[in-house]
Amino acid sequence: MIEVERRLVLTYMPTPEAAAALAALFTLDDKLAETLRTTSEPMLGQIRMQWWQDALAKLDSAPPPPEPVLQGVARDVLHAGVTGAAVGEIVDGWRVLLEAELDDAALGAHGARGRALFALAGRVAGAAINDPLELAGEGWALADLSVKLSDPVEAAAARRIADAALAHACSARWSRNGRALGAMAQLARMDLAGVPVGAPKRTLRALWHRISGR
């Protein structure tokens, strides 16, 4: 999703507090992506990812350090029973990309990035128990990854897994409080269909989902 689509999705969250939580999770996800992108050695990457996971877990017992991303998580995400350790599950999804080969098992493990992000945002928003948050999150993460992989075999595998998860997630009727996350799944499915970012069709699809939950 481009920034304008993110801003649109944030307006779908049921309260300003829930929107702030999702925005903080987006910022963390972006930071982890940057960490991976700027790491050339897998061992160094593992160390950096472990630092983030440990730092998030420490938020459960201590104030955040003077690091803007961690301060945002502590301020906006750690309520409604959400813990820093749970937020750290997003790190696991990024860490797996440091492996030499991305087979189906590794790609499925990367889905933890989206499964955790959607589950946490859904909890803060008060999404319904039957909203398919984890399937939507897995599909969203793998659809996003598929357009960034240079290996065509790995990219095709990521698209295949994403398509299956999103097909289930997008066939459900989402609760009002879960529709921001449902809209993210709908936009991810349009990515897989090749609908270009910025196309009016994408905005209309997201708007229809906000109205109908489908």
Side-chain angles (χ1 to χ4, degrees):
M1 289 191 301
I2 59 173
E3 186 61 29
V4 67
E5 289 184 343
R6 283 191 179 186
R7 291 198 299 268
L8 178 65
V9 163
L10 290 174
T11 69
Y12 292 9
M13 292 297 269
T15 65
E17 293 77 16
L22 181 55
L25 291 170
F26 279 150
T27 301
L28 171 64
D29 190 64
D30 289 344
K31 188 65 174 181
L32 295 172
E34 179 188 0
T35 299
L36 186 74
R37 187 172 58 251
T38 57
T39 301
S40 57
E41 294 294 330
M43 184 59 69
L44 178 59
Q46 292 287 359
I47 292 170
R48 295 174 75 183
M49 289 294 176
Q50 189 61 50
W51 183 89
W52 277 104
Q53 195 154 43
D54 291 345
L56 287 163
K58 287 177 183 176
L59 296 178
D60 294 331
S61 56
E67 201 290 322
V69 176
L70 293 173
Q71 290 180 337
V73 170
R75 180 185 63 247
D76 297 323
V77 182
L78 300 191
H79 48 86
V82 174
T83 65
V87 178
E89 293 177 18
I90 297 173
V91 181
D92 290 328
W94 282 109
R95 190 200 307 271
V96 73
L97 298 184
L98 294 164
E99 296 181 8
E101 181 180 351
L102 294 180
D103 56 15
D104 279 12
L107 290 169
H110 177 68
R113 165 199 172 198
R115 290 193 297 270
L117 191 153
F118 275 53
L120 293 165
R123 182 166 185 172
V124 173
I129 193 170
N130 59 336
D131 286 335
L133 294 167
E134 293 199 357
L135 276 174
E138 178 177 310
W140 170 82
L142 288 170
D144 177 62
L145 178 66
S146 71
V147 301
K148 298 173 181 174
L149 290 172
S150 57
D151 186 311
V153 175
E154 292 176 348
R159 285 194 298 272
R160 171 174 48 79
I161 300 170
D163 186 59
L166 290 170
H168 286 286
C170 292
S171 67
R173 185 182 182 91
W174 287 68
S175 71
R176 187 164 298 279
N177 285 359
R179 287 181 192 178
L181 302 164
M184 289 171 63
Q186 295 288 351
L187 290 168
R189 200 175 192 195
M190 298 193 86
D191 288 336
L192 294 178
V195 180
V197 172
K201 184 177 180 180
R202 295 173 67 95
T203 303
L204 290 172
R205 186 65 189 85
L207 289 172
W208 174 245
H209 182 79
R210 183 178 191 172
I211 295 168
S212 68
R214 293 190 178 275

